[in-house]
């Protein structure tokens, strides 16, 4: 399945908007590779955000003595892994964009 670069950039931008305002970013097209990629990116960013929020809640529970330290470490590790994944994907998209800019027309 080939995804055009413009669809990838649009999906990344829509996903970034969806994280801050879920109603603002709707895919321009309802079917096809662009929409499914946008949904995948948006869902991944939301999941990463949710994991970070869960880690914060677990830390607060640990401070209050309501959570086991193993649960806190697991939640923080999951959030860190999700953030590392999002950062890696962002870096690769930017690298691909820079390589495309360098291509002769």
């Amino acid at each position: 399945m080939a995804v055009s670069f413009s669809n990838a950039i649009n999906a990344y931008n829509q996903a970034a908007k969806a994280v801050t305002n879920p109603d603002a970013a709707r895919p321009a097209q309802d079917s096809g590779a662009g929409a499914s990629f946008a949904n995948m990116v948006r869902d991944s960013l939301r999941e990463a955000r949710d994991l970070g929020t869960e880690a914060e809640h677990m830390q607060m529970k640990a401070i209050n003595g309501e959570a086991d330290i193993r649960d806190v470490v697991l939640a923080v590790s999951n959030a860190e892994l999700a953030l590392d994944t999002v950062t890696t994907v962002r870096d690769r998209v930017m690298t691909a964009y820079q390589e495309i800019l360098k291509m002769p027309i």
Side-chain angles (χ1 to χ4, degrees), residues 8-71:
I9 292 297
N10 289 337
Y12 184 81
N13 287 333
Q14 290 172 356
K17 290 177 188 174
V19 169
T20 58
N21 185 2
D23 295 329
R26 296 280 182 229
Q29 59 191 96
D30 292 331
S31 62
S36 62
F37 181 76
N39 291 337
M40 186 260 320
V41 172
R42 182 175 39 252
D43 293 343
S44 297
L45 289 174
R46 284 183 183 161
E47 184 178 347
R49 179 195 61 199
D50 293 343
L51 287 171
T53 303
E54 180 183 342
E56 290 175 4
H57 289 301
M58 290 301 292
Q59 290 172 2
M60 293 305 293
K61 284 183 178 182
I63 290 171
N64 293 330
E66 300 170 359
D68 187 34
I69 191 69
R70 288 177 292 192
D71 295 333

Side-chain angles (χ1 to χ4, degrees), residues 12 45 84-97:
Y12 184 81
L45 289 174
D84 288 345
T85 302
V86 168
T87 303
T88 301
V89 169
R90 183 212 53 205
D91 291 345
R92 291 199 181 207
V93 166
M94 294 308 297
T95 301
Y97 177 71

